[in-house]
Amino acid sequence: MNNTKAFFNNILFDDLFNGFGGTVKIFTNEFSKTPHADVSQTQDFYLIDVEVPGFDESNIDVQLEGRTLTISSKTEDATTETSDEKKEVQFLLRERSEIKFSRSFTLPEDSDLENVSAECKKGVLRIQVPRTPESKPRRIAISSLEAKAV
């Protein structure tokens, strides 16, 4: 292994990129990045908003296994050419490549797993997880002890 490749495989270098939400694989034609997500809740729902700019909805996969919700995707290689184009084109700079990710969330126990929905709009995938009716706060009436004593 040459010294340059050894440097780029250094743990400190890998940690630098992990701090930015993903990993960069040097000397490959692949980029893997964990998409940023916001998880919030209302009285009725849990909401998971995931940034997926540049991903087509047909290439995004949302799966639910038990209480584990997994979002994954893989873009087509942006540099794919036909065999004729490969013979004629010599790249001077090639930065576009295949992008893929996978992200999992463990849903809370009060999630209504049968009614989870997802929609993608303007590069943001929104997953809406309803909360079960039993988990919603309810008012408990307070009876007066004085009224019962009479």
Side-chain angles (χ1 to χ4, degrees):
M1 181 185 299
N2 68 34
N3 290 335
T4 305
K5 193 167 183 180
F7 174 77
F8 283 114
N9 288 327
N10 186 308
I11 293 170
L12 295 174
F13 186 79
D14 291 341
D15 286 344
L16 171 70
F17 282 103
N18 286 333
F20 290 101
T23 58
V24 174
K25 295 183 179 181
I26 304 300
F27 302 118
T28 68
N29 198 29
E30 180 181 296
F31 180 71
S32 178
K33 180 175 172 44
T34 304
H36 295 236
D38 291 330
V39 179
S40 58
Q41 68 179 353
T42 68
Q43 187 172 337
D44 299 321
F45 298 97
Y46 293 104
L47 299 170
I48 303 170
D49 292 326
V50 182
E51 292 180 347
V52 290
F55 286 87
D56 188 81
E57 293 100 22
S58 63
N59 291 337
I60 299 173
D61 187 36
V62 179
Q63 291 190 10
L64 185 60
E65 185 175 331
R67 288 189 0 222
T68 302
L69 179 77
T70 302
I71 306 158
S72 59
S73 185
K74 181 176 179 180
T75 63
E76 298 299 319
D77 188 347
T79 59
T80 301
E81 312 95 7
T82 64
S83 60
D84 289 338
E85 289 174 330
K86 285 182 183 180
K87 292 175 186 175
E88 295 176 19
V89 176
Q90 179 183 1
F91 284 93
L92 302 176
L93 175 66
R94 193 171 194 173
E95 294 180 335
R96 298 178 303 145
S97 64
E98 179 179 90
I99 301 173
K100 64 182 180 177
F101 72 84
S102 181
R103 181 99 192 248
S104 294
F105 299 90
T106 301
L107 300 177
E109 290 185 22
D110 66 343
S111 300
D112 181 357
L113 303 178
E114 298 299 317
N115 293 303
V116 175
S117 63
E119 68 178 6
C120 193
K121 185 177 183 182
K122 295 186 178 182
V124 177
L125 174 67
R126 170 165 277 190
I127 300 171
Q128 187 170 316
V129 183
R131 299 174 79 171
T132 58
E134 300 85 43
S135 67
K136 295 178 186 171
R138 59 185 174 98
R139 183 169 291 282
I140 298 174
I142 301 172
S143 61
S144 171
L145 293 176
E146 293 176 11
K148 291 185 179 182
V150 176

